[in-house]
Amino acid sequence: MTDRPPAVELRRSVAVLATEWWLVAGGLAGYLVFGAWVVATGLAFDSFVPGLATRTLTAVGPLTVTGLVAFAAVAWLVAPAMVAAWLLDRQLSNVSGNLVDQYRIDHPGALPAPSGVLMLAATVAALVAGPRPPVLAVMALAGVHLLVRTIAFGRRVYSFSPKLLFTAMAAASGLALAAAWLVHAPRLPGTVGERVAGAGVASVVETALGAAGVGSGTALGVLVAVPALLSGLYLVVQTVVAARVRSRAPLSNPTKRAEQRYPIMPPVADSSRPGPPTPSANDDSQQATTEPSSEPATDERTADAADTDESAVTTEESDDRSHTRVFTAEEPIPDDEDAMTTVATDADEDDDGWVDDTAIFSPDGATGSDDECGECGEEIPRESVTFCPNCGERVRR
């Protein structure tokens, strides 16, 4: 089966957009759930440990770490980032832990193309018009989608595909987007803005921005672009590693995961290079030439098997034969030892194995179908007569 052309794979990559509704729904739900989490935990922290929120724990450079800042770093950044990474890995994996089928295309490089184009256009718009909210929203959406497609691409390719790195990329992107939400949350109007301020978000953001020495607009633009920056960095590194892998083709003993595909290797004419031989037309002709030579051997094995079966059947028939000797009244009745000796001798002459013989002694040449009366000795039929026709005695059987 040959790979599809790149143009066909690009159309398949665009068609996958119809199945990624979960990304839009999950992004919207994550925005709302994360906001509720921040407000609820911030108010609970201020209610249960009011003195710890303003207490200075330590100082990292120009950043003064209070109890609320330490709590925000764990509850508002690290924990949501780990949950986001776990949810993304679960969404991209099937029940066996491998990449879902919709992203297993023949040319994985087509996967990041649609969102990459959208991210490039949003970046140009941000540079021209500034970090306006609509532009930042498009950048966030394009960056998240590019991250998802890049992780799917990375799990599909062979040359550079560390799954732990993809988990770290998803966690770092989740942390950056959580921080971006905290930066823009104090600007929310109405009751939401008041609840956010009451949870202590504004003081945490001011402390962080003051330590970084940047404004909220610049910080928001950089944080939103983190998923796209990580994706682009990985794509560059993967391209370099893939070029090195292709330069060493063919690989001596390649091993891959079930979700991966082998890269398309260039043909190598040098037979001195290590690795398995590349199939060619000559190999096919040699295989066609050698195939008929194997048929006589198969016929010989079949004939040998048939001979073996015939001999087995003959042996079974010989073993099943019964040797019955009939002694009449005119012949002397041998004792048991002589009878067994005679039977054994006859068995040795007929067959080379053990034969179970039965000797029947019949006086006056009686057959196996006759019997004799116990009183007068008259021969009578075995089955049809109950009383002796000569003396009237009851026949005992």
Side-chain angles (χ1 to χ4, degrees):
M1 182 178 180
T2 58
D3 291 341
R4 296 182 178 89
V8 176
E9 295 297 276
L10 183 59
R11 288 196 295 270
R12 290 185 64 195
S13 176
V14 175
V16 174
L17 290 171
T19 66
E20 292 177 330
W21 56 267
W22 58 269
L23 187 58
V24 178
L28 180 60
Y31 182 90
L32 298 177
V33 171
F34 179 73
W37 166 258
V38 169
V39 172
T41 54
L43 294 177
F45 184 80
D46 185 62
S47 299
F48 289 105
V49 283
L52 184 61
T54 57
R55 184 185 305 172
T56 301
L57 301 179
T58 185
V60 181
L63 177 62
T64 302
V65 180
T66 61
L68 183 59
V69 171
F71 174 80
V74 175
W76 297 349
L77 296 179
V78 176
M82 299 303 296
V83 172
W86 175 74
L87 290 175
L88 181 59
D89 180 77
R90 182 181 178 182
Q91 185 66 38
L92 294 180
S93 303
N94 56 21
V95 293
S96 301
N98 298 318
L99 185 66
V100 292
D101 293 337
Q102 64 198 52
Y103 295 111
R104 296 191 186 186
I105 64 177
D106 295 334
H107 293 273
L111 288 173
S115 50
V117 173
L118 180 60
M119 186 65 195
L120 181 61
T123 303
V124 173
L127 293 176
V128 173
R132 299 178 179 273
V135 176
L136 293 179
V138 174
M139 286 185 63
L141 179 62
V144 172
H145 189 264
L146 179 59
L147 177 72
V148 171
R149 288 295 186 95
T150 301
I151 292 178
F153 163 82
R155 293 178 59 170
R156 180 63 173 156
V157 298
Y158 169 78
S159 55
F160 184 56
S161 182
K163 296 187 71 172
L164 185 61
L165 175 63
F166 304 140
T167 302
M169 289 173 57
S173 299
L175 191 148
L177 293 177
W181 190 96
L182 295 176
V183 170
H184 97 95
R187 303 178 185 177
L188 294 175
T191 307
V192 177
E194 295 177 0
R195 294 295 180 88
V196 169
V201 175
S203 61
V204 172
V205 171
E206 290 176 1
T207 302
L209 293 178
V214 295
S216 59
T218 303
L220 189 60
V222 173
L223 291 173
V224 168
V226 166
L229 293 175
L230 293 177
S231 301
L233 181 61
Y234 167 77
L235 292 174
V236 171
V237 175
Q238 195 278 335
T239 302
V240 175
V241 175
R244 294 187 59 185
V245 171
R246 289 174 61 88
S247 66
R248 294 185 285 110
L251 304 178
S252 58
N253 187 24
T255 57
K256 68 178 185 68
R257 298 192 301 267
E259 62 188 356
Q260 294 176 319
R261 69 181 296 275
Y262 287 121
I264 302 175
M265 293 297 181
V268 179
D270 187 5
S271 60
S272 62
R273 296 292 298 273
T278 304
S280 62
N282 294 333
D283 296 337
D284 296 336
S285 62
Q286 290 177 0
Q287 182 178 1
T289 304
T290 56
E291 281 179 357
S293 63
S294 62
E295 293 179 358
T298 305
D299 294 340
E300 290 178 4
R301 289 193 299 269
T302 306
D304 293 342
D307 294 342
T308 305
D309 295 340
E310 259 184 56
S311 61
V313 172
T314 305
T315 304
E316 290 179 0
E317 291 178 353
S318 301
D319 293 340
D320 291 340
R321 277 187 319 203
S322 62
H323 298 265
T324 303
R325 302 193 62 186
V326 179
F327 296 88
T328 63
E330 298 176 355
E331 297 177 347
I333 300 176
D335 56 11
D336 293 342
E337 183 176 356
D338 292 339
M340 293 303 298
T341 303
T342 305
V343 171
T345 304
D346 293 341
D348 291 339
E349 291 178 357
D350 294 340
D351 295 307
D352 293 334
W354 169 262
V355 180
D356 186 11
D357 286 43
T358 303
I360 300 176
F361 302 95
S362 177
D364 299 330
T367 64
S369 61
D370 295 335
D371 203 345
E372 65 177 7
C373 178
E375 292 294 328
C376 63
E378 180 69 15
E379 294 180 8
I380 58 177
R382 181 182 298 270
E383 299 295 335
S384 60
V385 178
T386 305
F387 297 90
C388 177
N390 185 34
C391 65
E393 183 69 17
R394 184 180 183 86
V395 178
R396 298 178 181 179
R397 295 186 174 85

